[in-house]
Amino acid sequence: MCGIVGYIGHREAYPILISGLKRLEYRGYDSAGVAVLNGDLNIYKKQGKVAALEQHIDETPIHGSIGMGHTRWATHGPPNDINAHPHQSSSGLFAIIHNGIIENYSLLKKELVEKGYTFKSDTDTEVLIQLIEDIYINMEVSAEEAVRYALNKVVGAYGIVVICKAEPDKLITARRSSPIAIGIGEGEYIIASDATPIVAYTKNVIYLDDDEIATLTIDSHTIRTIKNEVKTPYIQKIEMELEALEKGGYEHFMLKEIFEQPKSIAESMRGRIDPTTNTVWLGGLADVREQLERARRLIIIACGTSWHAGLVAEYLLEEYARIPVEVEYASEFRYRNPIVKKDDVVIAISQSGETADTLAAVKIAKQKGALVLGVCNVVGSSIARETHAGVYTHAGPEIGVASTKAFTAQVSVLSLMAIYISELKDSLNRHKSQEVLTGLLQVPEKVRQILKQNEKIVEIAALFCEASNFLYLGRGYNFPVALEGALKLKEISYIHAEGYPAAEMKHGPIALIDENMPVVFIATKDESYEKVVSNIEEVIARKGRVIAVVTAGDEVIPELADFVIEIPAAPQSIQPLLSVIPLQLLSYHIAVMRGCNVDQPRNLAKSVTVE
Ligand code: G6P
């Protein structure tokens, strides 16, 4: 949450900061601000999106080649101009941008107020910059040392960039639990919360570790810890093309990402299935094969859509690897002293690799002695680095706040993991694993066929876009899809929607059904097909309006349902990868018809780096 960008080099900083903020806007869009050093610190900030800031600055030329920019997702204090970042210290000597939460800010603030400091905003960030100034003035240390001393007093999470007017040739940045990437160009550095603002300038990047502070001048960087140990930075190559960050002619990133799924699913499996031997190769798990073979239980931790992918994985892993699986919300797992044994394997699923609760849950599982694996999309992200081993999903950058292609890439990678573990445990016969792997390889083409029904889904969306509530029902592998369909609709159209296991409908939701309640059934041909047909009858008997996702060729449900959307036949474990696609499109079109901002829904952020 919150996007951070910083620049020091030979070019004008402002255009680089603004275009960086636009790339990072998916992290938060309550307010935006920039500071550029040019003798004085020129600070502009504005409630609302980056476009509002640009408009506010309008034609004012902002010159200077050192600066910072921020896009905010409000934690402390409402989203207004005053609480927007950058924040300045009392004397105006320092400016800061911050992503994270300073948990002991009220105690620090009290001490500073007693010393005579006054505060303009409600933010924890302003407290940190006042503290830095206080140390700088009273201890007579360098700006870098003042930042270091201050961070030693801080409890909480931070990714920060600091400029000191009295030391105008440097930019200082630090992290704890909130990501900081430093792009190394020719005579310039670009700091950002992730690699997306950096890739246009350089592919060489350093990802700071927790408790590290970097001091950058135009042509040098030094990194030390807050305990003052000097660190040798590890420079990595960003594997990301600029086109992946553009809308590519689509109206929204979400639509582009839905339509990219034939490619992203194929990428997530590329080089991982050997069609000659019908086996799975996951290089990231090669070193932990023995531990996986010995594993007695798997615990999956995740949040949001990734948690839904985890639920699909529960069905997959129990069916194929015959190993008990528990799926936990990371935010619950981390605070309930969970029982984790040494022969448990924990799998953390996270698109961003930065979700604060999932990251904290990973650390707890490690402390308890479990092997912890990551299933992340963002290469080099905190969870990817914190886990012992893992598998990247390789879906490419996902910009739309509502997750689509990341979900299908997670499910396809988790399907491969289920087969991989089944091979280690010898729990699945060759014939079955061949059927599943062949089915997985056919998914990209089948998704392409589903996407051809886009126009039909537009028509259905037009009929239901005024609804106030929706119910999504599915069983077995399609139950997590029902949850995911409901979440997509809620997130972007603000229509209340609930996902339920179809049979549970009788224990509550059935009371809601009348002629105003659209019910989306995921009713494909699988073990529970007949039972779901009965559930559809029960809804129709109560005048509910039924939209059903069915297997192509189904002759029963089209006679019952108001609308059907067909998906190609596939083994049941593969169906979530197909049945979710029409639900993504349905919520997208409904949200567009309701005039909602699909890519940046209110109150949400793509990367939730605060708990
Ligand atoms: C936020 C995003 C969701 C995402 C969830 C978990 O809520 O809006 O799309 O599913 O975080 O994020 P992660 O990056 O850990 O998968």
Side-chain angles (χ1 to χ4, degrees):
M1 276 164 159
C2 298
I4 280 183
V5 58
Y7 180 80
I8 181 165
H10 49 83
R11 309 186 213 206
E12 290 286 1
Y14 177 70
I16 295 171
L17 299 176
I18 284 290
S19 68
L21 288 183
K22 286 182 182 163
R23 295 249 187 257
L24 292 173
E25 205 166 18
Y26 70 87
R27 300 179 72 91
Y29 28 83
D30 290 336
S31 62
V34 289
V36 176
L37 186 65
N38 186 2
D40 217 349
L41 266 167
N42 299 296
I43 297 185
Y44 299 85
K45 37 197 207 173
K46 196 76 195 145
Q47 181 180 347
K49 306 228 155 112
V50 176
L53 173 72
E54 252 186 314
Q55 219 174 5
H56 168 63
I57 296 173
D58 205 10
E59 300 295 298
T60 324
I62 304 180
H63 297 300
S65 51
I66 301 180
M68 55 166 87
H70 187 268
T71 176
R72 179 171 186 245
W73 188 89
T75 58
H76 291 66
N80 56 31
D81 292 357
I82 293 175
N83 289 332
H85 299 213
H87 289 283
Q88 267 188 293
S89 56
S90 285
S91 73
L93 205 53
F94 284 91
I96 188 171
I97 50 176
H98 170 216
N99 170 26
I101 294 180
I102 307 298
E103 287 166 14
N104 59 338
Y105 84 103
S106 48
L107 189 71
L108 296 170
K109 186 170 185 176
K110 192 163 163 269
E111 287 169 15
L112 289 162
V113 167
E114 278 162 14
K115 287 182 174 181
Y117 283 88
T118 55
F119 291 82
K120 293 193 191 105
S121 76
D122 311 311
T123 65
D124 50 338
T125 307
E126 192 183 5
V127 175
L128 178 56
I129 201 62
Q130 300 278 38
L131 177 65
I132 290 170
E133 173 167 299
D134 186 61
I135 293 169
Y136 183 79
I137 292 170
N138 291 316
M139 293 180 67
E140 296 183 15
V141 290
S142 67
E144 184 188 357
E145 281 297 87
V147 171
R148 193 172 71 76
Y149 284 130
L151 294 181
N152 274 288
K153 297 184 117 191
V154 154
V155 177
Y158 52 78
I160 55 168
V161 180
V162 174
I163 293 179
C164 175
K165 214 161 68 171
E167 298 181 26
D169 58 341
K170 55 175 87 140
L171 207 52
I172 301 163
T173 181
R175 85 157 251 168
R176 182 189 292 160
S177 299
S178 297
I180 292 283
I182 303 171
I184 309 168
E186 303 259 316
E188 62 184 353
Y189 292 90
I190 302 112
I191 300 167
S193 305
D194 65 40
T196 57
I198 296 174
V199 71
Y201 306 98
T202 174
K203 295 225 159 168
N204 296 326
V205 70
I206 299 167
Y207 292 100
L208 283 191
D209 278 327
D210 275 352
D211 292 336
E212 284 184 352
I213 306 176
T215 306
L216 312 175
T217 67
I218 193 163
D219 55 6
S220 74
H221 55 267
T222 53
I223 299 180
R224 59 187 75 226
T225 66
I226 61 170
K227 300 291 172 216
N228 211 16
E229 288 164 62
V230 175
K231 298 298 282 275
T232 310
Y234 168 53
I235 301 174
Q236 303 184 37
K237 285 263 180 249
I238 308 171
E239 285 180 23
M240 187 191 293
E241 296 308 322
L242 210 47
E243 304 84 71
L245 305 173
E246 310 289 347
K247 282 193 204 146
Y250 286 91
E251 200 182 336
H252 296 100
F253 278 110
M254 183 179 175
L255 191 62
K256 177 191 173 216
E257 287 157 6
I258 292 173
F259 272 83
E260 259 173 14
Q261 289 176 107
K263 181 168 166 251
S264 53
I265 294 170
E267 283 298 306
S268 72
M269 296 189 291
R270 194 152 63 94
R272 290 171 166 170
I273 299 176
D274 183 339
T276 52
T277 56
N278 271 305
T279 50
V280 172
W281 170 249
L282 296 171
L285 301 184
D287 292 344
V288 296
R289 284 169 64 99
E290 281 174 21
Q291 282 153 286
L292 269 175
E293 202 179 328
R294 280 199 309 271
R296 297 172 69 91
R297 182 174 66 145
L298 299 175
I299 303 171
I300 295 177
I301 47 177
C303 301
T305 288
S306 298
W307 186 79
H308 294 158
L311 285 183
V312 178
E314 179 180 19
Y315 286 83
L316 283 163
L317 289 155
E318 292 201 343
E319 180 175 356
Y320 297 142
R322 300 304 297 149
I323 182 166
V325 180
E326 285 171 29
V327 188
E328 302 246 17
Y329 284 116
S331 53
E332 291 297 316
F333 177 88
R334 63 180 289 197
Y335 283 118
R336 64 174 183 76
N337 194 12
I339 298 169
V340 180
K341 299 195 177 141
K342 294 218 166 18
D343 48 12
D344 286 336
V345 173
V346 173
I347 304 175
I349 308 172
S350 174
Q351 186 286 126
S352 62
E354 301 295 347
T355 301
D357 283 321
T358 311
L359 182 58
V362 164
K363 290 179 181 165
I364 289 167
K366 277 174 77 183
Q367 277 159 17
K368 289 181 182 278
L371 170 71
V372 186
L373 309 179
V375 174
C376 296
N377 192 36
V378 178
V379 176
S381 56
S382 300
I383 293 169
R385 287 186 297 151
E386 189 68 40
T387 43
H388 295 113
V391 185
Y392 281 118
T393 51
H394 293 311
E398 190 179 65
I399 314 282
V401 165
S403 186
T404 53
K405 66 172 181 170
F407 174 78
T408 46
Q410 287 165 343
V411 172
S412 55
V413 160
L414 289 159
S415 305
L416 296 181
M417 284 174 78
I419 300 294
Y420 184 79
I421 299 172
S422 78
E423 286 166 7
L424 296 177
K425 289 190 169 284
D426 203 14
S427 57
L428 192 63
N429 70 50
R430 282 267 164 218
H431 175 70
K432 184 70 191 169
S433 68
Q434 184 177 355
E435 179 193 304
V436 177
L437 294 177
T438 309
L440 282 169
L441 289 170
Q442 291 169 351
V443 167
E445 182 47 39
K446 289 183 178 175
V447 170
R448 218 168 268 127
Q449 289 170 31
I450 298 169
L451 292 169
K452 286 188 189 149
Q453 296 181 70
N454 187 34
E455 283 313 312
K456 179 176 188 183
I457 297 170
V458 172
E459 285 166 24
I460 299 174
L463 295 170
F464 290 96
C465 65
E466 303 292 340
S468 316
N469 297 288
F470 262 77
L471 201 55
Y472 285 72
L473 301 176
R475 291 179 85 134
Y477 279 97
N478 282 322
F479 159 54
V481 177
L483 296 180
E484 177 59 9
L487 176 63
K488 286 290 88 78
L489 191 71
K490 268 185 279 208
E491 281 180 308
I492 58 171
S493 73
Y494 318 138
I495 294 175
H496 170 245
E498 282 190 57
Y500 250 79
E504 271 294 302
M505 173 185 76
K506 289 198 258 330
H507 302 285
I510 200 163
L512 302 170
I513 292 173
D514 62 15
E515 62 278 18
N516 298 316
M517 176 64 95
V519 184
V520 178
F521 273 95
I522 304 106
T524 49
K525 288 271 172 68
D526 60 15
E527 282 168 2
S528 48
Y529 172 76
E530 273 83 21
K531 313 246 178 258
V532 178
V533 172
S534 306
N535 298 139
I536 293 177
E537 300 267 19
E538 287 154 8
V539 168
I540 291 170
R542 284 154 187 89
K543 299 199 176 73
R545 303 178 69 198
V546 173
I547 304 163
V549 176
V550 301
T551 303
D554 187 321
E555 289 177 355
V556 177
I557 298 176
E559 296 295 316
L560 302 173
D562 296 76
F563 301 94
V564 292
I565 304 163
E566 289 191 341
I567 63 167
Q572 65 174 8
S573 68
I574 289 170
Q575 290 179 9
L577 289 166
L578 307 176
S579 56
V580 75
I581 310 285
L583 306 190
Q584 297 169 343
L585 284 169
L586 184 67
S587 24
Y588 170 79
H589 292 302
I590 288 178
V592 170
M593 287 168 193
R594 290 168 73 97
C596 300
N597 186 334
V598 172
D599 282 336
Q600 295 174 346
R602 71 183 179 211
N603 302 339
L604 297 177
K606 183 134 195 84
S607 178
V608 181
T609 56
V610 296
E611 61 173 289

